[in-house]
Amino acid sequence: MHFSKTSEYAIRVLSYLHRHPTQPYSVAFLHEELNLPYKYLTKLMTQLHKKGLLNSIRGRDGGFTLALDADKIFLCDILEAIGEALESNRCILGFEKCDSSNPCALHNQWLKPKALLEDMLKNTSLASLHSTESIKF
Amino acid sequence: MHFSKTSEYAIRVLSYLHRHPTQPYSVAFLHEELNLPYKYLTKLMTQLHKKGLLNSIRGRDGGFTLALDADKIFLCDILEAIGEALESNRCILGFEKCDSSNPCALHNQWLKPKALLEDMLKNTSLASLHSTESIKF
DNA sequence: ATTTAATACTACCTTATGGTAGTATTAAAT
DNA sequence: ATTTAATACTACCATAAGGTAGTATTAAAT
Ligand code: SF4
Ligand code: SF4
Protein backbone atom coordinates (compact mmCIF):
# COMPACT_ATOMS: atom_id res chain seq x y z
CA MET A 1 0.00 0.00 0.00
CA HIS A 2 1.90 3.00 -1.22
CA PHE A 3 2.11 5.78 -3.79
CA SER A 4 4.66 5.42 -6.56
CA LYS A 5 7.72 7.64 -6.61
CA THR A 6 6.47 9.18 -9.82
CA SER A 7 3.19 10.25 -8.23
CA GLU A 8 5.06 11.71 -5.28
CA TYR A 9 7.27 13.68 -7.63
CA ALA A 10 4.30 14.92 -9.65
CA ILE A 11 2.38 16.11 -6.61
CA ARG A 12 5.41 17.84 -5.15
CA VAL A 13 6.43 19.64 -8.30
CA LEU A 14 2.92 20.75 -9.24
CA SER A 15 2.36 21.97 -5.73
CA TYR A 16 5.57 23.95 -5.95
CA LEU A 17 4.55 25.53 -9.24
CA HIS A 18 1.37 26.70 -7.61
CA ARG A 19 3.33 28.98 -5.32
CA HIS A 20 4.09 31.35 -8.18
CA PRO A 21 1.56 30.37 -10.85
CA THR A 22 2.61 32.95 -13.42
CA GLN A 23 6.38 32.61 -13.48
CA PRO A 24 7.86 29.73 -15.48
CA TYR A 25 10.27 27.48 -13.62
CA SER A 26 12.95 25.50 -15.43
CA VAL A 27 13.51 21.82 -14.71
CA ALA A 28 17.05 22.63 -13.62
CA PHE A 29 15.71 24.99 -11.00
CA LEU A 30 13.00 22.61 -9.79
CA HIS A 31 15.58 19.85 -9.65
CA GLU A 32 17.73 21.93 -7.34
CA GLU A 33 14.88 23.23 -5.27
CA LEU A 34 12.98 19.96 -4.76
CA ASN A 35 15.96 17.62 -4.94
CA LEU A 36 14.40 15.44 -7.63
CA PRO A 37 16.44 13.61 -10.32
CA TYR A 38 16.93 16.06 -13.19
CA LYS A 39 16.49 13.86 -16.25
CA TYR A 40 13.64 11.90 -14.78
CA LEU A 41 11.90 15.10 -13.86
CA THR A 42 12.32 16.34 -17.44
CA LYS A 43 10.48 13.29 -18.71
CA LEU A 44 7.76 13.69 -16.12
CA MET A 45 7.23 17.39 -16.90
CA THR A 46 6.98 16.68 -20.62
CA GLN A 47 4.39 14.03 -19.87
CA LEU A 48 2.36 16.37 -17.66
CA HIS A 49 2.51 18.95 -20.43
CA LYS A 50 1.21 16.46 -22.99
CA LYS A 51 -1.63 15.61 -20.65
CA GLY A 52 -2.58 19.26 -20.46
CA LEU A 53 -1.65 19.99 -16.87
CA LEU A 54 1.34 22.19 -17.72
CA ASN A 55 2.24 24.94 -20.18
CA SER A 56 5.71 24.52 -21.57
CA ILE A 57 7.79 27.47 -22.75
CA ARG A 58 10.71 26.34 -24.85
CA GLY A 59 13.94 28.16 -25.50
CA ARG A 60 15.96 30.46 -23.32
CA ASP A 61 14.25 31.66 -20.12
CA GLY A 62 11.61 29.00 -20.71
CA GLY A 63 10.15 26.57 -18.24
CA PHE A 64 6.79 25.29 -17.08
CA THR A 65 3.70 26.88 -15.59
CA LEU A 66 0.41 25.41 -14.47
CA ALA A 67 -2.01 25.11 -17.38
CA LEU A 68 -5.08 25.16 -15.18
CA ASP A 69 -6.32 26.85 -12.06
CA ALA A 70 -4.85 25.17 -9.05
CA ASP A 71 -8.27 24.71 -7.55
CA LYS A 72 -9.34 22.81 -10.68
CA ILE A 73 -6.52 20.27 -10.52
CA PHE A 74 -7.24 17.40 -8.15
CA LEU A 75 -4.97 14.62 -6.98
CA CYS A 76 -6.87 12.11 -9.10
CA ASP A 77 -6.15 14.24 -12.19
CA ILE A 78 -2.46 14.06 -11.44
CA LEU A 79 -2.54 10.30 -10.95
CA GLU A 80 -4.48 9.86 -14.15
CA ALA A 81 -2.00 12.01 -16.07
CA ILE A 82 0.84 9.70 -15.07
CA GLY A 83 -1.17 6.58 -15.83
CA GLU A 84 -1.96 5.59 -12.28
CA ALA A 85 -5.68 6.20 -12.18
CA LEU A 86 -7.41 4.31 -9.41
CA GLU A 87 -9.17 1.29 -10.83
CA SER A 88 -12.14 1.49 -8.50
CA ASN A 89 -13.63 -1.74 -9.72
CA ARG A 90 -10.52 -3.84 -9.46
CA CYS A 91 -10.76 -6.70 -6.96
CA ILE A 92 -8.44 -6.15 -4.03
CA LEU A 93 -7.47 -9.82 -4.24
CA GLY A 94 -6.83 -9.79 -7.96
CA PHE A 95 -9.77 -11.86 -9.12
CA GLU A 96 -10.97 -11.15 -12.63
CA LYS A 97 -14.59 -11.76 -12.04
CA CYS A 98 -16.59 -11.72 -8.86
CA ASP A 99 -20.25 -12.08 -8.08
CA SER A 100 -20.63 -8.83 -6.22
CA SER A 101 -24.01 -9.94 -4.92
CA ASN A 102 -22.03 -12.31 -2.74
CA PRO A 103 -18.88 -10.39 -1.84
CA CYS A 104 -16.12 -11.92 0.25
CA ALA A 105 -15.49 -10.48 3.70
CA LEU A 106 -12.34 -8.65 2.71
CA HIS A 107 -14.37 -6.72 0.20
CA ASN A 108 -16.62 -5.41 2.93
CA GLN A 109 -13.65 -4.47 5.06
CA TRP A 110 -12.20 -2.61 2.11
CA LEU A 111 -15.27 -0.53 1.32
CA LYS A 112 -14.81 2.21 3.87
CA PRO A 113 -11.06 2.80 3.54
CA LYS A 114 -11.46 2.75 -0.22
CA ALA A 115 -14.25 5.31 -0.11
CA LEU A 116 -12.18 7.66 2.01
CA LEU A 117 -9.19 7.23 -0.27
CA GLU A 118 -11.22 8.05 -3.34
CA ASP A 119 -12.73 10.98 -1.55
CA MET A 120 -9.27 12.28 -0.74
CA LEU A 121 -8.02 11.90 -4.30
CA LYS A 122 -11.11 13.38 -5.91
CA ASN A 123 -11.59 16.33 -3.61
CA THR A 124 -8.09 17.45 -2.71
CA SER A 125 -7.05 20.21 -5.10
CA LEU A 126 -3.56 21.57 -5.65
CA ALA A 127 -4.79 24.86 -4.26
CA SER A 128 -6.04 23.28 -1.06
CA LEU A 129 -2.72 21.51 -0.63
CA HIS A 130 -1.03 24.80 -0.06
CA SER A 131 -3.59 26.44 2.09
CA THR A 132 -1.54 26.00 5.23
CA GLU A 133 1.49 27.87 3.85
CA SER A 134 3.84 25.22 5.10
CA ILE A 135 7.33 25.58 3.69
CA LYS A 136 8.25 22.03 2.89
CA PHE A 137 8.82 21.99 -0.86
CA MET B 1 -2.37 2.74 -4.54
CA HIS B 2 -2.57 -1.01 -4.59
CA PHE B 3 -1.61 -4.24 -2.87
CA SER B 4 1.28 -6.20 -4.33
CA LYS B 5 0.65 -9.46 -6.14
CA THR B 6 2.57 -11.27 -3.44
CA SER B 7 0.29 -9.96 -0.72
CA GLU B 8 -2.77 -10.94 -2.73
CA TYR B 9 -1.39 -14.44 -3.13
CA ALA B 10 -0.57 -14.73 0.54
CA ILE B 11 -4.00 -13.63 1.67
CA ARG B 12 -5.75 -15.93 -0.76
CA VAL B 13 -3.71 -19.00 0.06
CA LEU B 14 -3.85 -18.54 3.81
CA SER B 15 -7.56 -17.96 3.63
CA TYR B 16 -7.93 -21.17 1.66
CA LEU B 17 -5.92 -23.13 4.20
CA HIS B 18 -8.28 -21.93 6.89
CA ARG B 19 -11.12 -23.85 5.30
CA HIS B 20 -9.65 -27.15 6.47
CA PRO B 21 -7.17 -26.13 9.14
CA THR B 22 -6.03 -29.62 10.04
CA GLN B 23 -5.35 -31.20 6.67
CA PRO B 24 -2.03 -30.34 4.95
CA TYR B 25 -2.33 -29.04 1.41
CA SER B 26 0.51 -29.42 -1.08
CA VAL B 27 1.69 -26.50 -3.18
CA ALA B 28 0.78 -28.45 -6.31
CA PHE B 29 -2.79 -28.72 -5.09
CA LEU B 30 -3.05 -25.09 -4.04
CA HIS B 31 -1.55 -24.08 -7.35
CA GLU B 32 -4.30 -25.93 -9.19
CA GLU B 33 -7.05 -24.81 -6.90
CA LEU B 34 -6.18 -21.12 -6.66
CA ASN B 35 -4.55 -20.77 -10.06
CA LEU B 36 -1.35 -19.26 -8.66
CA PRO B 37 2.09 -19.78 -10.26
CA TYR B 38 3.49 -23.01 -8.83
CA LYS B 39 7.14 -22.17 -8.31
CA TYR B 40 6.46 -18.71 -7.06
CA LEU B 41 3.94 -20.06 -4.61
CA THR B 42 6.52 -22.57 -3.35
CA LYS B 43 8.86 -19.72 -2.53
CA LEU B 44 6.09 -17.79 -0.83
CA MET B 45 4.96 -20.74 1.29
CA THR B 46 8.51 -21.43 2.44
CA GLN B 47 8.81 -17.81 3.44
CA LEU B 48 5.53 -17.88 5.36
CA HIS B 49 6.74 -21.02 7.12
CA LYS B 50 9.99 -19.35 8.13
CA LYS B 51 8.01 -16.44 9.50
CA GLY B 52 6.00 -18.81 11.65
CA LEU B 53 2.63 -18.53 9.95
CA LEU B 54 2.69 -22.04 8.48
CA ASN B 55 3.64 -25.56 9.53
CA SER B 56 5.49 -27.39 6.81
CA ILE B 57 5.37 -31.15 6.49
CA ARG B 58 8.08 -32.46 4.21
CA GLY B 59 8.18 -35.71 2.33
CA ARG B 60 5.41 -37.70 0.76
CA ASP B 61 1.86 -36.65 1.67
CA GLY B 62 3.32 -33.48 3.12
CA GLY B 63 2.14 -29.94 2.65
CA PHE B 64 1.32 -26.89 4.70
CA THR B 65 -1.10 -26.11 7.51
CA LEU B 66 -1.78 -22.95 9.45
CA ALA B 67 0.59 -22.61 12.38
CA LEU B 68 -1.73 -20.35 14.34
CA ASP B 69 -5.38 -19.96 15.05
CA ALA B 70 -7.06 -18.24 12.13
CA ASP B 71 -8.56 -15.68 14.44
CA LYS B 72 -5.09 -14.81 15.70
CA ILE B 73 -3.67 -14.09 12.23
CA PHE B 74 -4.45 -10.59 11.01
CA LEU B 75 -3.86 -9.05 7.62
CA CYS B 76 -1.06 -6.92 9.01
CA ASP B 77 0.70 -10.08 10.20
CA ILE B 78 0.59 -11.44 6.68
CA LEU B 79 1.93 -8.24 5.17
CA GLU B 80 4.69 -8.12 7.74
CA ALA B 81 5.66 -11.73 7.02
CA ILE B 82 6.24 -10.90 3.37
CA GLY B 83 8.13 -7.74 4.18
CA GLU B 84 5.42 -5.27 3.33
CA ALA B 85 4.60 -3.94 6.75
CA LEU B 86 2.89 -0.58 6.65
CA GLU B 87 5.38 2.10 7.53
CA SER B 88 2.92 4.25 9.42
CA ASN B 89 5.37 7.06 9.90
CA ARG B 90 6.54 7.33 6.34
CA CYS B 91 5.72 10.62 4.66
CA ILE B 92 3.19 10.17 1.90
CA LEU B 93 5.25 12.53 -0.26
CA GLY B 94 8.54 10.80 0.39
CA PHE B 95 10.19 13.41 2.57
CA GLU B 96 12.75 12.14 5.01
CA LYS B 97 12.07 14.55 7.77
CA CYS B 98 9.07 16.70 8.47
CA ASP B 99 8.16 19.03 11.25
CA SER B 100 4.94 17.34 12.21
CA SER B 101 3.92 20.32 14.29
CA ASN B 102 3.37 22.07 10.96
CA PRO B 103 2.05 19.35 8.65
CA CYS B 104 1.32 20.03 4.99
CA ALA B 105 -2.29 19.87 3.87
CA LEU B 106 -1.93 16.54 2.13
CA HIS B 107 -0.93 15.05 5.43
CA ASN B 108 -4.22 16.11 6.97
CA GLN B 109 -6.17 14.71 4.04
CA TRP B 110 -4.33 11.45 4.44
CA LEU B 111 -5.00 11.00 8.17
CA LYS B 112 -8.50 9.56 7.93
CA PRO B 113 -8.03 7.15 5.00
CA LYS B 114 -4.81 5.98 6.60
CA ALA B 115 -6.47 5.37 9.93
CA LEU B 116 -9.20 3.29 8.32
CA LEU B 117 -6.66 1.33 6.30
CA GLU B 118 -4.65 0.52 9.38
CA ASP B 119 -7.79 -0.42 11.20
CA MET B 120 -8.69 -2.82 8.41
CA LEU B 121 -5.26 -4.42 8.35
CA LYS B 122 -4.95 -4.69 12.12
CA ASN B 123 -8.43 -5.97 12.88
CA THR B 124 -9.30 -8.23 9.98
CA SER B 125 -8.43 -11.79 10.89
CA LEU B 126 -8.15 -14.75 8.57
CA ALA B 127 -11.10 -16.27 10.39
CA SER B 128 -13.28 -13.23 9.83
CA LEU B 129 -12.40 -13.25 6.17
CA HIS B 130 -14.25 -16.45 5.75
CA SER B 131 -17.24 -15.72 7.87
CA THR B 132 -19.51 -15.19 4.88
CA GLU B 133 -18.84 -18.63 3.43
CA SER B 134 -18.39 -17.24 -0.03
CA ILE B 135 -16.87 -19.73 -2.45
CA LYS B 136 -14.38 -17.64 -4.35
CA PHE B 137 -11.08 -19.29 -3.64
C1' DA C 1 15.77 -50.82 -0.03
C1' DT C 2 13.24 -48.48 -3.53
C1' DT C 3 9.87 -45.55 -5.21
C1' DT C 4 7.25 -41.59 -4.91
C1' DA C 5 5.51 -37.13 -3.68
C1' DA C 6 6.32 -33.62 -1.20
C1' DT C 7 9.31 -29.25 0.61
C1' DA C 8 13.83 -26.55 0.24
C1' DC C 9 17.39 -24.47 -2.22
C1' DT C 10 20.15 -22.11 -5.86
C1' DA C 11 20.30 -19.78 -9.85
C1' DC C 12 18.54 -17.59 -13.49
C1' DC C 13 14.90 -15.08 -16.53
C1' DT C 14 11.15 -11.32 -17.40
C1' DT C 15 8.77 -7.20 -16.70
C1' DA C 16 7.86 -2.71 -14.84
C1' DT C 17 9.56 1.21 -12.51
C1' DG C 18 12.91 4.45 -11.75
C1' DG C 19 16.92 6.80 -13.58
C1' DT C 20 20.84 8.36 -16.93
C1' DA C 21 23.31 9.94 -21.30
C1' DG C 22 23.56 12.33 -25.34
C1' DT C 23 21.68 15.00 -28.83
C1' DA C 24 18.20 17.74 -31.44
C1' DT C 25 15.21 21.62 -31.29
C1' DT C 26 13.60 26.05 -29.81
C1' DA C 27 13.76 31.00 -28.78
C1' DA C 28 15.55 34.97 -26.06
C1' DA C 29 19.61 37.88 -25.54
C1' DT C 30 23.65 39.77 -27.32
C1' DA D 1 24.26 35.57 -36.94
C1' DT D 2 25.88 33.62 -32.72
C1' DT D 3 25.51 32.27 -28.16
C1' DT D 4 23.01 30.50 -24.52
C1' DA D 5 19.57 28.25 -21.78
C1' DA D 6 15.79 26.03 -22.02
C1' DT D 7 12.42 21.84 -23.61
C1' DA D 8 11.97 17.43 -26.48
C1' DC D 9 13.49 13.17 -28.05
C1' DT D 10 15.78 8.62 -28.43
C1' DA D 11 18.10 5.16 -26.44
C1' DC D 12 20.00 2.90 -22.97
C1' DC D 13 21.00 1.39 -17.80
C1' DA D 14 19.68 -0.12 -12.74
C1' DT D 15 16.80 -1.95 -9.46
C1' DA D 16 13.04 -4.48 -7.60
C1' DA D 17 9.08 -7.45 -8.18
C1' DG D 18 7.35 -11.31 -10.23
C1' DG D 19 8.23 -15.79 -12.20
C1' DT D 20 10.77 -20.17 -13.98
C1' DA D 21 14.10 -24.25 -14.10
C1' DG D 22 16.55 -27.74 -12.13
C1' DT D 23 18.13 -30.23 -8.36
C1' DA D 24 18.76 -31.67 -3.46
C1' DT D 25 16.46 -33.23 0.58
C1' DT D 26 12.90 -35.42 3.22
C1' DA D 27 9.66 -39.02 4.66
C1' DA D 28 5.61 -42.01 3.77
C1' DA D 29 4.25 -46.12 1.24
C1' DT D 30 5.32 -50.25 -0.95
S1 SF4 E 1 -15.93 -9.47 -3.10
FE1 SF4 E 1 -13.84 -10.30 -2.67
S2 SF4 E 1 -13.38 -11.52 -4.51
FE2 SF4 E 1 -15.07 -10.15 -5.09
S3 SF4 E 1 -14.10 -8.29 -5.99
FE3 SF4 E 1 -14.40 -7.87 -3.75
S4 SF4 E 1 -12.44 -8.51 -2.80
FE4 SF4 E 1 -12.51 -9.45 -4.87
S1 SF4 F 1 3.04 16.72 6.83
FE1 SF4 F 1 3.32 16.56 4.56
S2 SF4 F 1 5.58 16.60 4.30
FE2 SF4 F 1 5.19 16.11 6.49
S3 SF4 F 1 5.17 13.84 6.63
FE3 SF4 F 1 3.02 14.49 6.30
S4 SF4 F 1 2.72 14.39 4.05
FE4 SF4 F 1 4.96 14.40 4.43
Side-chain angles (χ1 to χ4, degrees):
Chain A
M1 290 305 284
H2 61 292
F3 282 99
S4 69
K5 291 268 186 192
T6 304
S7 64
E8 288 178 9
Y9 295 172
I11 294 171
R12 285 172 62 188
V13 77
L14 287 171
S15 178
Y16 190 95
L17 287 184
H18 171 51
R19 295 172 72 178
H20 301 95
T22 58
Q23 175 187 345
Y25 286 116
S26 72
V27 175
F29 174 81
L30 294 165
H31 152 67
E32 280 292 331
E33 199 71 359
L34 298 174
N35 202 33
L36 302 179
Y38 171 69
K39 287 287 195 178
Y40 194 67
L41 186 55
T42 302
K43 261 206 282 198
L44 177 56
M45 297 301 271
T46 301
Q47 189 179 1
L48 293 173
H49 167 238
K50 282 180 178 168
K51 294 293 184 178
L53 292 186
L54 291 178
N55 300 121
S56 102
I57 301 163
R58 297 184 63 163
R60 193 189 160 130
D61 292 343
F64 294 93
T65 61
L66 291 183
L68 303 167
D69 252 21
D71 54 10
K72 295 202 179 65
I73 301 180
F74 296 91
L75 291 187
C76 59
D77 302 324
I78 301 174
L79 292 183
E80 178 165 10
I82 62 176
E84 293 181 15
L86 21 48
E87 308 154 76
S88 311
N89 297 333
R90 186 176 179 280
C91 168
I92 196 179
L93 290 182
F95 288 106
E96 291 296 323
K97 51 193 178 306
C98 161
D99 179 1
S100 52
S101 69
N102 178 26
C104 75
L106 182 54
H107 195 89
N108 293 333
Q109 298 293 314
W110 173 235
L111 284 180
K112 271 180 288 182
K114 174 181 164 187
L116 271 194
L117 264 175
E118 293 190 350
D119 180 72
M120 171 179 104
L121 298 176
K122 282 180 184 163
N123 297 316
T124 305
S125 69
L126 264 191
S128 78
L129 276 192
H130 223 257
S131 58
T132 59
E133 290 301 331
S134 61
I135 314 286
K136 303 205 181 306
F137 303 87
Chain B
M1 291 307 285
H2 61 291
F3 282 99
S4 70
K5 292 266 186 195
T6 305
S7 64
E8 287 179 10
Y9 296 171
I11 293 170
R12 286 172 63 188
V13 78
L14 288 171
S15 177
Y16 189 96
L17 286 184
H18 171 50
R19 294 172 73 178
H20 301 95
T22 58
Q23 175 187 343
Y25 286 118
S26 72
V27 174
F29 175 81
L30 294 166
H31 152 67
E32 281 291 332
E33 200 72 1
L34 298 176
N35 201 34
L36 301 180
Y38 172 67
K39 287 286 193 177
Y40 194 67
L41 186 54
T42 302
K43 260 205 283 196
L44 177 56
M45 297 300 271
T46 301
Q47 189 178 2
L48 292 173
H49 167 238
K50 283 181 179 169
K51 294 293 182 177
L53 293 186
L54 292 177
N55 299 122
S56 103
I57 301 162
R58 298 183 64 161
R60 193 188 160 130
D61 295 341
F64 293 93
T65 60
L66 290 183
L68 302 169
D69 252 21
D71 55 9
K72 294 201 179 69
I73 301 179
F74 296 91
L75 292 188
C76 60
D77 301 324
I78 302 174
L79 293 183
E80 178 164 9
I82 62 177
E84 294 183 12
L86 22 48
E87 307 154 78
S88 311
N89 296 332
R90 186 179 179 278
C91 169
I92 196 180
L93 290 182
F95 289 104
E96 291 298 320
K97 52 193 175 307
C98 162
D99 178 2
S100 53
S101 69
N102 177 28
C104 75
L106 182 55
H107 196 91
N108 293 330
Q109 298 294 314
W110 172 236
L111 283 180
K112 271 180 288 182
K114 175 181 164 186
L116 271 194
L117 265 174
E118 293 191 349
D119 180 72
M120 172 180 103
L121 297 176
K122 282 181 184 164
N123 297 316
T124 305
S125 70
L126 263 192
S128 78
L129 275 191
H130 222 257
S131 57
T132 60
E133 290 300 330
S134 60
I135 314 286
K136 305 206 181 303
F137 304 86

